[in-house]
Amino acid sequence: MRYIPNNAPVREDMLRQMGIPEIGELFRSIPEQLQYKRSLEVPGPLAEDEQLDLFRQLSEKNLDQGHALNSFLGAGAYRHASYLVADSLLQRGEFLTAYTPYQPEISQGTLQAIFEFQTFMTMLTGMEVANASMYDGASACAEAVLMADRLKNGRQRVLLAQSLHPLYREVVRTHTRFMGLELDTLGLEGGGAPGSSGRVDAAALKSALGDDVACVVVQQPNFFGVVEDLAPLAEAAHSAGALLIVVVNEALSLALLEPPGAAGADIVVGEAMSFGVPLYFGGPYLGFMAARDEFKRQLPGRIAGETVDTHGERGFVLTLATREQHIRREKATSNICTNQNLVMLTALINLTLLGREGLLETGRRNVSHLGYFRGGLAGLTGYRETFGGPVFNEITLTCPRPAADIVHGCLKRGVLPGLDAARLLKPGGGPPDADRLLVVAITETSRREEIDALLAALREEGK
Amino acid sequence: MSQEKTQTPQPARRPTGSFKHEPLSFEYPRHGHSGVAFRPLDVPEQDPARAMPGASLRQDGLERLPQLSEFDVVRHFTRLSMYNVAIDSAMYPLGSCTMKYNPRINETVARLPGFTGMHPLQPDGLSQGLLELMHILLEALKEITGFAAGTLQPAAGAQGELTGVLLIRSALEARGEHRRYMLVPDSAHGTNPASAHLAGFQVREVRSIKDGPAKGTVDTAHLAEMMDTEVAGLMLTNPNTLGVFEPEIVRIAEIVHAKGGYIYCDGANMNAQVGITRPADYGMDVIHLNLHKTFSTPHGGGGPGAGPCLCTAELEPFLPVPRVVKEGGEKDSGGKEPSYRLEWNAPQSIGKVATFHGNVGIMVRALSFILAMGPAGLREMTETAVLNAVYLRHMLKGVLKASTEAPTLHEVVFSDEGLATHGGINTMELAKRLMDYGFHPPTVYFPLTVPGALMVEPTESEPRAELDRFVEAIKAILAEADTNPELVKTAPHSAPRTRLDETRAARKPVLRWTPPE
Ligand SMILES: Cc1ncc(COP(=O)(O)O)c(C=O)c1O
């Protein structure tokens, strides 16, 4: 086998040196009747060119976004520019094939990268501490809820905005199912009726809050694309002694929007795949978590900190390890061990490359592209913007017919116009007319002609 | 770990050129540069404040973000990479982590645009290639472990564990049983009790045998005593964290099953078993695999990994959604071409564990590895991994004290018994000194049941010459310790940094860069 340096003659020799008659002897501790005597029924072996052929064939059975398909699907997974430098650097074996930096003297590259990423995330979110990464946005959200539960010991209720991504809600439910928490829903202003803002109902929040609520979870911008007004929500939560968790799954919005920390968020979590991570059918992505400084000992996951070596040189180590499972076992703040480090590096390199200028410009371009679409939409009969609140790069439309039919029809024209929201919303779990809602994301990667093609397809299908 | 106060002559201070002192990106001068160029904007420019009326916008202008050219960025990260040791550059015998060669072709196939550009919510009809790929991978993993069903969704081993214990919990609840406890051996990895806790279980520790030939394995008498109808089951690592195949595995399964419990198997040690024995065949109910261990996907400095979870038919109804379903293509389907879809409807499912379908990019790499190996190659992998570990144990006989008399498989754990006779050094100091000899240290101080544990897993990837060099390095370090213990106690001396002050880092945490006053 080409990957294995010790071939049969070498192995024979090693056995001989140890006085072991044959390789099967090595497994004598496995009871005979438990040994698998057949050959595994798995495909292979393939030579390199055969592998390439097979994977090319499989990949060609897919229709990818942006190349083969003109797509405006977002809903937590956004297509943004990724720069070649990032992919080239992260393929350096020193990054790619290292393990978790438990031995800091020979892992400074990874550790300094984590420290830089933590710095980026605190600046972007307006928080004081951030960790090295979480699996993905939804699991980060679930971990934030569990963290709030620890910080607000004894409070059992969690208020989840109806405008939180439905799959995030699902993942929170899975993670909290046996933790004795009660998940309640916080509706939209005006019940999400046509022409309402699409924001969280702040008045309903006030009445739902009580001394049994550990945290309030809202998404910014929310699942329908609407930018929330966070400050009053934070104020309401705090006055009832609850924490405000802000979930950001379009991390690029942080370039332009007020940082949640500045609006009073206690924990900010979400998905940072927008910083140049490929769509990749949902993963690997990049969960992140940031929080106020006073909560740092309750954070899950890995955290890098600055220190010095015996010569007084600056260096970095994994720190506050007493939170983690390898020390605290069942009392740990989380079970997470392996995280998403290389994806963190992708995002970090892209962020570093963009820098201040590039990040702001990318953010503004998203606004301009969505603005162009909204301009065209105004001329389409039958469609309207469902909500009146401000939007960044994603918007919900009410279609003249069921959104599923619109998607189906547009696909025949080579356009994937967005998400048929009812696919993810539970029956009765969304605004009225949920089956006619189409959530459209327009990023800087869409060309004008592509947006024109989307408008044309919507016009035809809306007839 | 003892704090050594003695001052010894320091080896020559290493060079302090910028080569070893890469600033943080935030510390570079800011000249208004960006490393990217934009094509001309092809739509009318909009002012964010006017386009988003009623939205609060950022006031700080992100002034402190880096402003670097593309080349500055390349140099910055290239330098950082040089401060890392990796499996590509050195033997990295981290026990329990299975640091093996990560084939380069896997990086190439994983970057095909027909994979990278796929949106997780696009209609199934547009995703046939990846759904087929996920199906093939899951079938292969079912065959390798012997289980009837599974999910690829968990993002890493620990999430696979959580998924597994949630399956157990759900199956018990479906039977109307609210069992409160989960048994976990004292030698288990920390993620096991942490995952059990997340599933709402109270953890009870099962003792391992303290002496004699079966030392370190599950104490079945203690297990039988603890296993009652309040107990949901047992989380078992097999081979255990000492590398020993549990001799009483069949009996263990009987004890747990007799009381209606389930066994969760931690499959981190699958590199000792692929093609040799199958966890389902020896009575396990559910397992997680680490694709980033056994199936060679790169560890990436700590992920991303993937932690598929496989289970018996009995636990199948509780698996996470969505599940990949194959239709047609069978002999009896009348020549219908196979097609694949995602099934979201499963009333008894535990729900979702990941936002979408898990770390799909990692699945592609793992399948590529399996296909390159084939059935015989996979067996050869396991045999060689075990041979290499047994060889190291053999060559270190009389040098380091193995933690068990029992035969070990893919890894070997040494204790610190007798180590201090060499100039009073401890496990950590031995480990750190190995860096100066060009090795990444083995896992240290795990499992917790072995005093001063040094856990060595060479994997099938190390050539014999490298194993021999490792043995020579250990012997040389012990000899050094006999004559010049301070040299060992203050190691490493040739790494980019000397020993770092972890206490200081934890006492006064500095967790981000802040602008100088
Ligand atoms: C025995 C064992 N179980 C579980 C895990 C957790 O796996 P992961 O790091 O992929 O979450 C590990 C690895 O770190 C391990 O060694």
PDB file of all heavy atoms in Angstrom, chain A residues 99 135 302 335-339, chain B residues 95-97 155-159 161 189 191-192 237 241 266 268-269 288 290 292-293 305-306 446, ligand 1:
ATOM      1  N   TYR A  99      -1.648  18.765  15.128  1.00  0.00           N
ATOM      2  CA  TYR A  99      -2.777  18.490  16.014  1.00  0.00           C
ATOM      3  C   TYR A  99      -3.055  19.734  16.858  1.00  0.00           C
ATOM      4  O   TYR A  99      -2.383  20.755  16.741  1.00  0.00           O
ATOM      5  CB  TYR A  99      -2.449  17.276  16.906  1.00  0.00           C
ATOM      6  CG  TYR A  99      -3.613  16.795  17.733  1.00  0.00           C
ATOM      7  CD1 TYR A  99      -4.727  16.218  17.121  1.00  0.00           C
ATOM      8  CD2 TYR A  99      -3.616  16.935  19.112  1.00  0.00           C
ATOM      9  CE1 TYR A  99      -5.805  15.790  17.873  1.00  0.00           C
ATOM     10  CE2 TYR A  99      -4.694  16.502  19.877  1.00  0.00           C
ATOM     11  CZ  TYR A  99      -5.790  15.934  19.250  1.00  0.00           C
ATOM     12  OH  TYR A  99      -6.847  15.526  19.998  1.00  0.00           O
ATOM     13  N   TYR A 135     -18.207  24.127  16.499  1.00  0.00           N
ATOM     14  CA  TYR A 135     -18.424  23.326  15.286  1.00  0.00           C
ATOM     15  C   TYR A 135     -19.103  24.138  14.177  1.00  0.00           C
ATOM     16  O   TYR A 135     -18.662  24.172  13.053  1.00  0.00           O
ATOM     17  CB  TYR A 135     -19.308  22.119  15.577  1.00  0.00           C
ATOM     18  CG  TYR A 135     -18.754  21.146  16.579  1.00  0.00           C
ATOM     19  CD1 TYR A 135     -19.561  20.664  17.602  1.00  0.00           C
ATOM     20  CD2 TYR A 135     -17.447  20.689  16.497  1.00  0.00           C
ATOM     21  CE1 TYR A 135     -19.086  19.746  18.515  1.00  0.00           C
ATOM     22  CE2 TYR A 135     -16.966  19.768  17.412  1.00  0.00           C
ATOM     23  CZ  TYR A 135     -17.791  19.298  18.427  1.00  0.00           C
ATOM     24  OH  TYR A 135     -17.327  18.396  19.337  1.00  0.00           O
ATOM     25  N   ARG A 302     -11.889  25.937  23.216  1.00  0.00           N
ATOM     26  CA  ARG A 302     -10.505  26.318  23.443  1.00  0.00           C
ATOM     27  C   ARG A 302     -10.319  27.823  23.395  1.00  0.00           C
ATOM     28  O   ARG A 302     -10.983  28.510  22.638  1.00  0.00           O
ATOM     29  CB  ARG A 302      -9.626  25.669  22.382  1.00  0.00           C
ATOM     30  CG  ARG A 302      -9.678  24.191  22.566  1.00  0.00           C
ATOM     31  CD  ARG A 302      -8.616  23.471  21.790  1.00  0.00           C
ATOM     32  NE  ARG A 302      -8.670  22.112  22.239  1.00  0.00           N
ATOM     33  CZ  ARG A 302      -8.931  21.074  21.462  1.00  0.00           C
ATOM     34  NH1 ARG A 302      -9.124  21.245  20.174  1.00  0.00           N
ATOM     35  NH2 ARG A 302      -8.985  19.872  21.967  1.00  0.00           N
ATOM     36  N   ASN A 335     -18.475  19.426  26.065  1.00  0.00           N
ATOM     37  CA  ASN A 335     -17.727  18.213  25.722  1.00  0.00           C
ATOM     38  C   ASN A 335     -16.806  18.445  24.529  1.00  0.00           C
ATOM     39  O   ASN A 335     -16.094  17.546  24.103  1.00  0.00           O
ATOM     40  CB  ASN A 335     -18.688  17.054  25.423  1.00  0.00           C
ATOM     41  CG  ASN A 335     -19.514  17.299  24.186  1.00  0.00           C
ATOM     42  OD1 ASN A 335     -19.693  18.438  23.758  1.00  0.00           O
ATOM     43  ND2 ASN A 335     -20.049  16.238  23.609  1.00  0.00           N
ATOM     44  N   ILE A 336     -16.793  19.657  23.980  1.00  0.00           N
ATOM     45  CA  ILE A 336     -16.049  19.880  22.733  1.00  0.00           C
ATOM     46  C   ILE A 336     -14.554  19.657  22.943  1.00  0.00           C
ATOM     47  O   ILE A 336     -13.992  20.037  23.960  1.00  0.00           O
ATOM     48  CB  ILE A 336     -16.348  21.271  22.129  1.00  0.00           C
ATOM     49  CG1 ILE A 336     -15.826  21.368  20.695  1.00  0.00           C
ATOM     50  CG2 ILE A 336     -15.781  22.381  23.012  1.00  0.00           C
ATOM     51  CD1 ILE A 336     -16.293  22.616  19.949  1.00  0.00           C
ATOM     52  N   CYS A 337     -13.935  19.024  21.962  1.00  0.00           N
ATOM     53  CA  CYS A 337     -12.501  18.739  22.005  1.00  0.00           C
ATOM     54  C   CYS A 337     -11.946  19.235  20.678  1.00  0.00           C
ATOM     55  O   CYS A 337     -11.632  20.409  20.543  1.00  0.00           O
ATOM     56  CB  CYS A 337     -12.317  17.241  22.244  1.00  0.00           C
ATOM     57  SG  CYS A 337     -10.626  16.676  22.329  1.00  0.00           S
ATOM     58  N   THR A 338     -11.888  18.382  19.649  1.00  0.00           N
ATOM     59  CA  THR A 338     -11.568  18.849  18.310  1.00  0.00           C
ATOM     60  C   THR A 338     -12.569  19.927  17.925  1.00  0.00           C
ATOM     61  O   THR A 338     -13.774  19.735  18.110  1.00  0.00           O
ATOM     62  CB  THR A 338     -11.667  17.666  17.328  1.00  0.00           C
ATOM     63  OG1 THR A 338     -10.601  16.760  17.620  1.00  0.00           O
ATOM     64  CG2 THR A 338     -11.555  18.109  15.883  1.00  0.00           C
ATOM     65  N   ASN A 339     -12.076  21.055  17.395  1.00  0.00           N
ATOM     66  CA  ASN A 339     -13.031  22.077  16.940  1.00  0.00           C
ATOM     67  C   ASN A 339     -12.878  22.282  15.436  1.00  0.00           C
ATOM     68  O   ASN A 339     -12.770  21.301  14.716  1.00  0.00           O
ATOM     69  CB  ASN A 339     -12.917  23.353  17.784  1.00  0.00           C
ATOM     70  CG  ASN A 339     -11.505  23.936  17.821  1.00  0.00           C
ATOM     71  OD1 ASN A 339     -10.665  23.638  16.983  1.00  0.00           O
ATOM     72  ND2 ASN A 339     -11.254  24.756  18.790  1.00  0.00           N
TER      73      ASN A 339
ATOM     74  N   GLY B  95      -0.646   9.558  21.487  1.00  0.00           N
ATOM     75  CA  GLY B  95      -1.559   8.464  21.766  1.00  0.00           C
ATOM     76  C   GLY B  95      -2.993   8.925  21.759  1.00  0.00           C
ATOM     77  O   GLY B  95      -3.304  10.021  22.218  1.00  0.00           O
ATOM     78  N   SER B  96      -3.866   8.083  21.196  1.00  0.00           N
ATOM     79  CA  SER B  96      -5.302   8.321  21.126  1.00  0.00           C
ATOM     80  C   SER B  96      -5.688   9.276  19.997  1.00  0.00           C
ATOM     81  O   SER B  96      -6.852   9.443  19.705  1.00  0.00           O
ATOM     82  CB  SER B  96      -5.848   8.860  22.459  1.00  0.00           C
ATOM     83  OG  SER B  96      -7.201   8.517  22.580  1.00  0.00           O
ATOM     84  N   CYS B  97      -4.697   9.890  19.355  1.00  0.00           N
ATOM     85  CA  CYS B  97      -5.017  10.890  18.332  1.00  0.00           C
ATOM     86  C   CYS B  97      -4.776  10.399  16.911  1.00  0.00           C
ATOM     87  O   CYS B  97      -5.215  11.018  15.958  1.00  0.00           O
ATOM     88  CB  CYS B  97      -4.218  12.160  18.574  1.00  0.00           C
ATOM     89  SG  CYS B  97      -4.536  12.832  20.212  1.00  0.00           S
ATOM     90  N   ALA B 155     -19.909  16.589  13.984  1.00  0.00           N
ATOM     91  CA  ALA B 155     -18.756  17.325  13.476  1.00  0.00           C
ATOM     92  C   ALA B 155     -17.426  16.808  13.997  1.00  0.00           C
ATOM     93  O   ALA B 155     -16.383  17.116  13.445  1.00  0.00           O
ATOM     94  CB  ALA B 155     -18.898  18.803  13.820  1.00  0.00           C
ATOM     95  N   ALA B 156     -17.449  16.070  15.095  1.00  0.00           N
ATOM     96  CA  ALA B 156     -16.204  15.541  15.654  1.00  0.00           C
ATOM     97  C   ALA B 156     -16.572  14.400  16.587  1.00  0.00           C
ATOM     98  O   ALA B 156     -17.763  14.120  16.809  1.00  0.00           O
ATOM     99  CB  ALA B 156     -15.428  16.617  16.392  1.00  0.00           C
ATOM    100  N   GLY B 157     -15.538  13.770  17.145  1.00  0.00           N
ATOM    101  CA  GLY B 157     -15.769  12.629  18.018  1.00  0.00           C
ATOM    102  C   GLY B 157     -16.726  12.960  19.152  1.00  0.00           C
ATOM    103  O   GLY B 157     -17.676  12.219  19.428  1.00  0.00           O
ATOM    104  N   ALA B 158     -16.489  14.087  19.810  1.00  0.00           N
ATOM    105  CA  ALA B 158     -17.307  14.418  20.972  1.00  0.00           C
ATOM    106  C   ALA B 158     -18.774  14.611  20.585  1.00  0.00           C
ATOM    107  O   ALA B 158     -19.675  14.225  21.332  1.00  0.00           O
ATOM    108  CB  ALA B 158     -16.774  15.673  21.655  1.00  0.00           C
ATOM    109  N   GLN B 159     -19.021  15.178  19.415  1.00  0.00           N
ATOM    110  CA  GLN B 159     -20.413  15.339  18.999  1.00  0.00           C
ATOM    111  C   GLN B 159     -21.018  13.995  18.603  1.00  0.00           C
ATOM    112  O   GLN B 159     -22.210  13.762  18.793  1.00  0.00           O
ATOM    113  CB  GLN B 159     -20.529  16.351  17.855  1.00  0.00           C
ATOM    114  CG  GLN B 159     -21.901  17.023  17.866  1.00  0.00           C
ATOM    115  CD  GLN B 159     -22.063  18.079  16.791  1.00  0.00           C
ATOM    116  OE1 GLN B 159     -21.599  17.917  15.663  1.00  0.00           O
ATOM    117  NE2 GLN B 159     -22.741  19.159  17.122  1.00  0.00           N
ATOM    118  N   GLU B 161     -20.217  11.258  20.167  1.00  0.00           N
ATOM    119  CA  GLU B 161     -20.531  10.677  21.477  1.00  0.00           C
ATOM    120  C   GLU B 161     -21.877  11.183  21.975  1.00  0.00           C
ATOM    121  O   GLU B 161     -22.716  10.407  22.441  1.00  0.00           O
ATOM    122  CB  GLU B 161     -19.477  11.083  22.514  1.00  0.00           C
ATOM    123  CG  GLU B 161     -18.128  10.481  22.314  1.00  0.00           C
ATOM    124  CD  GLU B 161     -17.121  11.080  23.306  1.00  0.00           C
ATOM    125  OE1 GLU B 161     -17.535  11.601  24.352  1.00  0.00           O
ATOM    126  OE2 GLU B 161     -15.923  11.019  23.005  1.00  0.00           O
ATOM    127  N   HIS B 189     -11.666   8.754  28.137  1.00  0.00           N
ATOM    128  CA  HIS B 189     -11.348  10.100  27.677  1.00  0.00           C
ATOM    129  C   HIS B 189     -12.353  11.081  28.283  1.00  0.00           C
ATOM    130  O   HIS B 189     -13.519  10.747  28.461  1.00  0.00           O
ATOM    131  CB  HIS B 189     -11.459  10.124  26.149  1.00  0.00           C
ATOM    132  CG  HIS B 189     -10.858  11.341  25.517  1.00  0.00           C
ATOM    133  ND1 HIS B 189     -11.628  12.398  25.098  1.00  0.00           N
ATOM    134  CD2 HIS B 189      -9.575  11.668  25.231  1.00  0.00           C
ATOM    135  CE1 HIS B 189     -10.831  13.331  24.573  1.00  0.00           C
ATOM    136  NE2 HIS B 189      -9.593  12.908  24.630  1.00  0.00           N
ATOM    137  N   THR B 191     -14.023  13.493  27.154  1.00  0.00           N
ATOM    138  CA  THR B 191     -15.245  13.794  26.404  1.00  0.00           C
ATOM    139  C   THR B 191     -16.371  12.830  26.773  1.00  0.00           C
ATOM    140  O   THR B 191     -17.537  13.205  26.665  1.00  0.00           O
ATOM    141  CB  THR B 191     -14.988  13.713  24.890  1.00  0.00           C
ATOM    142  OG1 THR B 191     -14.315  12.490  24.603  1.00  0.00           O
ATOM    143  CG2 THR B 191     -14.152  14.879  24.406  1.00  0.00           C
ATOM    144  N   ASN B 192     -16.049  11.606  27.183  1.00  0.00           N
ATOM    145  CA  ASN B 192     -17.104  10.625  27.493  1.00  0.00           C
ATOM    146  C   ASN B 192     -17.996  11.100  28.637  1.00  0.00           C
ATOM    147  O   ASN B 192     -19.211  11.243  28.453  1.00  0.00           O
ATOM    148  CB  ASN B 192     -16.525   9.252  27.814  1.00  0.00           C
ATOM    149  CG  ASN B 192     -15.943   8.514  26.601  1.00  0.00           C
ATOM    150  OD1 ASN B 192     -15.629   7.327  26.663  1.00  0.00           O
ATOM    151  ND2 ASN B 192     -15.785   9.202  25.482  1.00  0.00           N
ATOM    152  N   THR B 237     -14.445   2.353  25.913  1.00  0.00           N
ATOM    153  CA  THR B 237     -13.460   2.519  24.847  1.00  0.00           C
ATOM    154  C   THR B 237     -12.792   1.169  24.646  1.00  0.00           C
ATOM    155  O   THR B 237     -12.293   0.573  25.603  1.00  0.00           O
ATOM    156  CB  THR B 237     -12.409   3.580  25.237  1.00  0.00           C
ATOM    157  OG1 THR B 237     -13.092   4.766  25.614  1.00  0.00           O
ATOM    158  CG2 THR B 237     -11.478   3.875  24.086  1.00  0.00           C
ATOM    159  N   THR B 241      -8.006   2.728  26.698  1.00  0.00           N
ATOM    160  CA  THR B 241      -7.016   3.785  26.493  1.00  0.00           C
ATOM    161  C   THR B 241      -5.591   3.320  26.808  1.00  0.00           C
ATOM    162  O   THR B 241      -4.643   4.069  26.600  1.00  0.00           O
ATOM    163  CB  THR B 241      -7.371   5.043  27.310  1.00  0.00           C
ATOM    164  OG1 THR B 241      -7.594   4.648  28.664  1.00  0.00           O
ATOM    165  CG2 THR B 241      -8.627   5.690  26.771  1.00  0.00           C
ATOM    166  N   ASP B 266     -16.639   4.000  22.340  1.00  0.00           N
ATOM    167  CA  ASP B 266     -15.812   5.096  21.832  1.00  0.00           C
ATOM    168  C   ASP B 266     -14.876   4.499  20.788  1.00  0.00           C
ATOM    169  O   ASP B 266     -14.019   3.670  21.106  1.00  0.00           O
ATOM    170  CB  ASP B 266     -15.032   5.709  23.005  1.00  0.00           C
ATOM    171  CG  ASP B 266     -14.182   6.904  22.580  1.00  0.00           C
ATOM    172  OD1 ASP B 266     -13.634   6.877  21.460  1.00  0.00           O
ATOM    173  OD2 ASP B 266     -14.060   7.852  23.378  1.00  0.00           O
ATOM    174  N   ALA B 268     -12.536   5.845  19.015  1.00  0.00           N
ATOM    175  CA  ALA B 268     -11.284   6.565  18.730  1.00  0.00           C
ATOM    176  C   ALA B 268     -10.151   5.592  18.425  1.00  0.00           C
ATOM    177  O   ALA B 268      -9.190   5.945  17.754  1.00  0.00           O
ATOM    178  CB  ALA B 268     -10.909   7.461  19.902  1.00  0.00           C
ATOM    179  N   ASN B 269     -10.282   4.371  18.923  1.00  0.00           N
ATOM    180  CA  ASN B 269      -9.205   3.402  18.748  1.00  0.00           C
ATOM    181  C   ASN B 269      -9.478   2.388  17.628  1.00  0.00           C
ATOM    182  O   ASN B 269      -9.013   1.262  17.661  1.00  0.00           O
ATOM    183  CB  ASN B 269      -8.927   2.692  20.074  1.00  0.00           C
ATOM    184  CG  ASN B 269      -8.346   3.657  21.093  1.00  0.00           C
ATOM    185  OD1 ASN B 269      -7.853   4.722  20.726  1.00  0.00           O
ATOM    186  ND2 ASN B 269      -8.418   3.303  22.362  1.00  0.00           N
ATOM    187  N   HIS B 288     -18.991   5.899  17.887  1.00  0.00           N
ATOM    188  CA  HIS B 288     -18.597   7.013  17.011  1.00  0.00           C
ATOM    189  C   HIS B 288     -17.226   6.681  16.440  1.00  0.00           C
ATOM    190  O   HIS B 288     -16.431   5.988  17.064  1.00  0.00           O
ATOM    191  CB  HIS B 288     -18.557   8.353  17.755  1.00  0.00           C
ATOM    192  CG  HIS B 288     -17.240   8.642  18.417  1.00  0.00           C
ATOM    193  ND1 HIS B 288     -17.015   8.418  19.757  1.00  0.00           N
ATOM    194  CD2 HIS B 288     -16.065   9.115  17.918  1.00  0.00           C
ATOM    195  CE1 HIS B 288     -15.761   8.746  20.049  1.00  0.00           C
ATOM    196  NE2 HIS B 288     -15.163   9.155  18.967  1.00  0.00           N
ATOM    197  N   ASN B 290     -13.793   8.580  14.498  1.00  0.00           N
ATOM    198  CA  ASN B 290     -13.173   9.870  14.216  1.00  0.00           C
ATOM    199  C   ASN B 290     -12.566   9.763  12.824  1.00  0.00           C
ATOM    200  O   ASN B 290     -11.533   9.119  12.660  1.00  0.00           O
ATOM    201  CB  ASN B 290     -12.066  10.191  15.226  1.00  0.00           C
ATOM    202  CG  ASN B 290     -12.563  10.164  16.657  1.00  0.00           C
ATOM    203  OD1 ASN B 290     -12.902   9.106  17.177  1.00  0.00           O
ATOM    204  ND2 ASN B 290     -12.600  11.306  17.300  1.00  0.00           N
ATOM    205  N   HIS B 292     -11.040  11.918  11.366  1.00  0.00           N
ATOM    206  CA  HIS B 292      -9.744  12.610  11.411  1.00  0.00           C
ATOM    207  C   HIS B 292      -8.694  11.779  12.132  1.00  0.00           C
ATOM    208  O   HIS B 292      -7.578  12.228  12.311  1.00  0.00           O
ATOM    209  CB  HIS B 292      -9.900  13.988  12.063  1.00  0.00           C
ATOM    210  CG  HIS B 292     -10.731  13.977  13.314  1.00  0.00           C
ATOM    211  ND1 HIS B 292     -12.043  13.578  13.338  1.00  0.00           N
ATOM    212  CD2 HIS B 292     -10.445  14.329  14.579  1.00  0.00           C
ATOM    213  CE1 HIS B 292     -12.518  13.687  14.565  1.00  0.00           C
ATOM    214  NE2 HIS B 292     -11.564  14.127  15.340  1.00  0.00           N
ATOM    215  N   LYS B 293      -9.041  10.608  12.572  1.00  0.00           N
ATOM    216  CA  LYS B 293      -8.013   9.721  13.128  1.00  0.00           C
ATOM    217  C   LYS B 293      -7.845   8.556  12.161  1.00  0.00           C
ATOM    218  O   LYS B 293      -7.011   8.569  11.279  1.00  0.00           O
ATOM    219  CB  LYS B 293      -8.424   9.232  14.512  1.00  0.00           C
ATOM    220  CG  LYS B 293      -8.547  10.382  15.499  1.00  0.00           C
ATOM    221  CD  LYS B 293      -8.918   9.915  16.896  1.00  0.00           C
ATOM    222  CE  LYS B 293      -9.010  11.122  17.819  1.00  0.00           C
ATOM    223  NZ  LYS B 293      -9.316  10.765  19.191  1.00  0.00           N
ATOM    224  N   GLY B 305     -12.903  17.951  12.111  1.00  0.00           N
ATOM    225  CA  GLY B 305     -12.936  16.509  12.000  1.00  0.00           C
ATOM    226  C   GLY B 305     -14.324  16.092  11.551  1.00  0.00           C
ATOM    227  O   GLY B 305     -15.064  16.878  10.957  1.00  0.00           O
ATOM    228  N   ALA B 306     -14.640  14.827  11.801  1.00  0.00           N
ATOM    229  CA  ALA B 306     -16.002  14.355  11.614  1.00  0.00           C
ATOM    230  C   ALA B 306     -16.164  13.134  12.505  1.00  0.00           C
ATOM    231  O   ALA B 306     -15.230  12.348  12.640  1.00  0.00           O
ATOM    232  CB  ALA B 306     -16.286  14.000  10.161  1.00  0.00           C
ATOM    233  N   PHE B 446      -2.326  11.165  30.314  1.00  0.00           N
ATOM    234  CA  PHE B 446      -3.595  10.535  29.970  1.00  0.00           C
ATOM    235  C   PHE B 446      -3.277   9.119  29.523  1.00  0.00           C
ATOM    236  O   PHE B 446      -2.318   8.949  28.767  1.00  0.00           O
ATOM    237  CB  PHE B 446      -4.316  11.304  28.864  1.00  0.00           C
ATOM    238  CG  PHE B 446      -5.559  10.591  28.373  1.00  0.00           C
ATOM    239  CD1 PHE B 446      -6.715  10.597  29.150  1.00  0.00           C
ATOM    240  CD2 PHE B 446      -5.554   9.875  27.178  1.00  0.00           C
ATOM    241  CE1 PHE B 446      -7.852   9.910  28.724  1.00  0.00           C
ATOM    242  CE2 PHE B 446      -6.691   9.179  26.755  1.00  0.00           C
ATOM    243  CZ  PHE B 446      -7.836   9.204  27.531  1.00  0.00           C
TER     244      PHE B 446
HETATM  245  C1  LIG C   1     -10.507   8.178  23.265  1.00  0.00           C
HETATM  246  C2  LIG C   1     -11.065   9.435  22.688  1.00  0.00           C
HETATM  247  N1  LIG C   1     -12.390   9.641  22.705  1.00  0.00           N
HETATM  248  C3  LIG C   1     -12.940  10.764  22.184  1.00  0.00           C
HETATM  249  C4  LIG C   1     -12.176  11.752  21.632  1.00  0.00           C
HETATM  250  C5  LIG C   1     -12.849  13.004  21.145  1.00  0.00           C
HETATM  251  O1  LIG C   1     -12.797  13.162  19.773  1.00  0.00           O
HETATM  252  P1  LIG C   1     -12.839  14.586  19.087  1.00  0.00           P
HETATM  253  O2  LIG C   1     -11.606  15.303  19.490  1.00  0.00           O
HETATM  254  O3  LIG C   1     -12.901  14.290  17.651  1.00  0.00           O
HETATM  255  O4  LIG C   1     -14.057  15.294  19.573  1.00  0.00           O
HETATM  256  C6  LIG C   1     -10.782  11.573  21.570  1.00  0.00           C
HETATM  257  C7  LIG C   1      -9.896  12.528  20.893  1.00  0.00           C
HETATM  258  O5  LIG C   1      -9.495  13.540  21.227  1.00  0.00           O
HETATM  259  C8  LIG C   1     -10.213  10.394  22.133  1.00  0.00           C
HETATM  260  O6  LIG C   1      -8.895  10.214  22.102  1.00  0.00           O
END
